[in-house]
Amino acid sequence: MKVAAFFFDLDGTLVDTEAAWTNAIVDLVKSRGGDARFDYILENVVGRNWIDIDNWLHAQFPVLGDTTPMEDAVELRGFYERYATDPESMKIASSIEFFKSAAKIAPCAIVSGSPHDDVVKAAELCGISDKVAFVLGAGDYARGKPDPSSYLRAAEIVGADPGDCVVIEDSSVGVAAGVAAGMKVIAIDRAVRVPQTFVGETWKVKDLSEFDMGVLSEFQS
């Protein structure tokens, strides 16, 4: 058996952007007359698909009105850029190096809950665009994590059996999605801001620099 593909989460896995996005959401709500707390937003959005997040926000803060997730995403990026003043510092170097190593073994894709264009930009920031087989973002698959549809869609694109794929995630909902898809899962227990509870992961590390690529030999022919 051989590893058919690696599927990487983005926010919190390859780039440390969750605080900036959370601050941006707080500002978005405030700009429309609402009041949102950073901690409350963060604990409810980590690992989630943007469409699901936006629907939740509209339910929590009716003042947001009847704008669509994509309309809100455009406005949100303006707020985000106020906090993302040093993009280079947001890169998680060990994860990027792991991505580059994994790309030598099998196709690597980014499977994220962020809007598609933001995923593409993040890959460019990380300097891995030439190594990314494809990206999937919000709206590119049926349902957000913890539903497995994002990872199953990725396996379908590669033409691989889910059991031959490896998922790299840092959130409980992301790990749950990979497990539900029947894939091997590397869970990154960073616990920087919101502690996560992982269930069913194949491996758990504090940082991808700890992961021994040799353990993947059991999947190699």
Side-chain angles (χ1 to χ4, degrees), residues 31-66:
S31 74
R32 299 191 193 172
D35 184 23
R37 291 186 299 104
F38 178 92
D39 291 345
Y40 178 65
I41 296 297
L42 182 63
E43 68 187 18
N44 282 283
V45 304
V46 170
R48 301 285 178 176
N49 177 284
W50 168 244
I51 295 174
D52 293 338
I53 291 171
D54 195 65
N55 288 336
W56 176 80
L57 287 170
H58 279 260
Q60 295 294 310
F61 306 99
V63 71
L64 289 176
D66 58 1

Side-chain angles (χ1 to χ4, degrees), residues 2 8 27 30-31 37 72 76-77 99 107 119 128 135 137 148 159-160 168 180 195:
K2 185 177 181 181
F8 287 74
D27 287 354
K30 288 182 177 178
S31 74
R37 291 186 299 104
D72 289 337
L76 185 67
R77 173 153 279 280
F99 189 104
V119 184
I128 54 175
V135 307
I168 299 90

Side-chain angles (χ1 to χ4, degrees), residues 50-139:
W50 168 244
I51 295 174
D52 293 338
I53 291 171
D54 195 65
N55 288 336
W56 176 80
L57 287 170
H58 279 260
Q60 295 294 310
F61 306 99
V63 71
L64 289 176
D66 58 1
T67 47
T68 69
M70 292 307 108
E71 288 171 336
D72 289 337
V74 171
E75 187 174 353
L76 185 67
R77 173 153 279 280
F79 291 112
Y80 171 78
E81 289 174 350
R82 296 180 184 177
Y83 296 98
T85 55
D86 184 12
E88 288 293 319
S89 70
M90 294 180 166
K91 298 192 298 186
I92 302 175
S94 56
S95 294
I96 294 170
E97 287 307 308
F98 183 90
F99 189 104
K100 292 175 180 177
S101 296
K104 296 176 182 177
I105 298 173
C108 291
I110 301 177
V111 181
S112 173
S114 293
H116 185 101
D117 289 349
D118 288 332
V119 184
V120 172
K121 291 176 182 176
E124 294 171 353
L125 170 66
C126 292
I128 54 175
S129 294
D130 60 331
K131 296 175 175 60
V132 177
F134 59 89
V135 307
L136 292 178

Side-chain angles (χ1 to χ4, degrees), residues 191-208:
V192 177
R193 298 180 181 89
V194 180
Q196 300 294 296
T197 301
F198 303 130
V199 177
E201 75 279 4
T202 315
W203 306 281
K204 183 166 70 172
V205 295
K206 291 289 185 181
D207 186 275
L208 283 175

